[in-house]
Amino acid sequence: MRVPKGDDRSRRVCDTCGFIDYVNPRIVAGSVVTRDDRVLLCKRAIEPRKGFWTLPAGFMEQSETVEDAARREAQEEACADIRLDQILAIYSVPRISQVQVMFRARLASSIAAGPESEEVGLFHWKDIPWSELAFPTVVWALTHYAQTRFLSGFPPFTNPPGTERLTR
Amino acid sequence: MRVPKGDDRSRRVCDTCGFIDYVNPRIVAGSVVTRDDRVLLCKRAIEPRKGFWTLPAGFMEQSETVEDAARREAQEEACADIRLDQILAIYSVPRISQVQVMFRARLASSIAAGPESEEVGLFHWKDIPWSELAFPTVVWALTHYAQTRFLSGFPPFTNPPGTERLTR
């Protein structure tokens, strides 16, 4: 561990070859996917938060766009073909060095549980299992989505005020 | 290199301890910073594109929010204290596995060249050195900014149509 020349913070550096192991936050891409008035949720088949409900979302991979990643995750987790509408929100979770880019999207196919989901479903607002949602950002994205239901263009949301204790 | 259990793509895996070296895209956070009708640009003192003009922007670090990162980069590159307004654009550059989150911001201090800048300046639109801009995304962010000058809330821009050859 040392501060590379011209840098201002400590990194893992190889004394033999000079390789600097930069570690940077990871991007999660996901979507609030709707059909008519129902929202797509996936019951997690894997840890963390196995058995809890989440939005189709996951880590972005090399050589894809953030839009590609959101579409791929919907396909992988819910066998869902989706049409992205616009960016709903960008949340930062500095405690775990994560940035979540959430889209608003429309469902364009049938759905089925992928390998990482125990079950998938389309939920009317009143039927959303609020007490069984996997992560705070799922709650944020759903409530932010609700505020945009009748809007066709809007600035993206960010972390809600007063939620620092959840993310720092 | 092998496909870990439950995964679907090849990763570097340690056969001794089982460590999986996930590699994910990196996030660049930056801003189009203005005062009155002038835009803040920084002449790069480092490679790549040394001597060309860019917006204050750079790789996000661990344990910060994307907003923190944009403010830090303005401070580091132009000694500028800025006030973020809203997200201007999210660009993906899959060829180099990069996602760029660009904000619209206001300058709230004086400016001076930081260690990574040869020179910094505030440019009227007609004086922007268009042929000496460092990266395509700088051109995109400036032209997208121009489209929002009289808007107080708008959906973020993404990669302009027809630019795939620059990013794929």
Side-chain angles (χ1 to χ4, degrees):
Chain A
M1 295 294 301
R2 61 182 168 85
V3 179
K5 185 166 172 291
D7 200 343
D8 61 357
R9 62 187 73 198
S10 197
R11 319 273 182 187
R12 291 203 311 162
V13 182
C14 175
D15 288 328
T16 306
C17 71
F19 175 78
I20 303 168
D21 182 26
Y22 289 103
V23 180
N24 301 88
R26 292 185 176 184
I27 305 171
V28 166
S31 310
V32 176
V33 181
T34 59
R35 164 171 288 162
D36 306 322
D37 265 350
R38 294 187 299 163
V39 179
L40 173 60
L41 294 176
C42 309
K43 195 174 195 175
R44 291 175 63 83
I46 54 170
E47 296 295 349
R49 303 291 277 162
K50 186 174 182 303
F52 287 79
W53 292 88
T54 192
L55 297 167
F59 287 112
M60 201 176 155
E61 298 281 2
Q62 297 292 89
S63 305
E64 63 183 1
T65 66
V66 71
E67 291 85 2
D68 292 340
R71 282 185 290 255
R72 176 181 51 72
E73 290 291 341
Q75 190 59 244
E76 286 180 4
E77 298 185 358
C79 305
D81 184 16
I82 66 173
R83 301 283 177 271
L84 302 180
D85 165 24
Q86 79 147 80
I87 291 168
L88 174 66
I90 304 189
Y91 305 125
S92 295
V93 190
R95 184 171 53 79
I96 52 172
S97 292
Q98 222 177 70
V99 172
Q100 302 197 357
V101 180
M102 304 301 291
F103 289 85
R104 192 171 73 165
R106 295 266 166 195
L107 183 60
S109 71
S110 58
I111 58 170
E116 296 183 5
S117 305
E118 287 178 3
E119 189 183 333
V120 294
L122 288 165
F123 291 79
H124 284 291
W125 191 253
K126 65 176 177 50
D127 300 324
I128 289 174
W130 293 102
S131 61
E132 294 162 53
L133 296 179
F135 308 108
T137 50
V138 174
V139 181
W140 301 351
L142 286 170
T143 52
H144 284 154
Y145 163 75
Q147 295 176 46
T148 73
R149 277 162 98 169
F150 304 106
L151 299 179
S152 61
F154 53 88
F157 291 85
T158 56
N159 295 28
T163 57
E164 287 74 16
R165 70 183 172 81
L166 296 173
T167 61
R168 290 281 180 183
Chain B
M1 294 294 304
R2 61 183 170 83
V3 179
K5 185 166 171 291
D7 201 342
D8 62 358
R9 63 187 74 197
S10 197
R11 319 272 182 186
R12 292 203 311 163
V13 182
C14 175
D15 288 328
T16 306
C17 72
F19 176 78
I20 303 167
D21 183 27
Y22 290 103
V23 180
N24 302 87
R26 293 187 174 182
I27 305 170
V28 166
S31 311
V32 177
V33 181
T34 57
R35 163 171 289 163
D36 305 323
D37 266 348
R38 295 186 298 164
V39 178
L40 173 60
L41 293 176
C42 309
K43 195 175 196 175
R44 291 176 63 83
I46 53 171
E47 295 296 349
R49 302 292 277 161
K50 185 174 184 301
F52 287 78
W53 292 89
T54 191
L55 296 166
F59 288 112
M60 201 176 156
E61 297 282 1
Q62 297 291 89
S63 305
E64 64 184 0
T65 65
V66 70
E67 290 85 1
D68 292 340
R71 283 186 290 254
R72 176 180 51 72
E73 290 292 341
Q75 189 59 243
E76 286 179 6
E77 297 184 0
C79 306
D81 183 16
I82 66 172
R83 300 282 177 272
L84 301 181
D85 165 23
Q86 78 147 79
I87 291 167
L88 174 67
I90 304 189
Y91 305 124
S92 295
V93 190
R95 184 172 51 80
I96 52 172
S97 292
Q98 224 177 66
V99 172
Q100 302 198 355
V101 180
M102 304 301 292
F103 290 86
R104 191 172 74 164
R106 295 266 166 195
L107 183 60
S109 71
S110 57
I111 58 170
E116 296 183 7
S117 304
E118 285 177 5
E119 189 182 335
V120 293
L122 288 165
F123 292 79
H124 283 290
W125 192 254
K126 66 177 175 52
D127 299 326
I128 289 174
W130 294 102
S131 62
E132 294 163 53
L133 296 178
F135 309 108
T137 51
V138 174
V139 180
W140 301 353
L142 287 169
T143 51
H144 284 154
Y145 163 74
Q147 295 177 46
T148 73
R149 276 162 99 169
F150 304 106
L151 299 178
S152 61
F154 53 88
F157 292 84
T158 56
N159 295 27
T163 56
E164 287 74 16
R165 69 182 171 81
L166 295 172
T167 64
R168 290 280 180 183

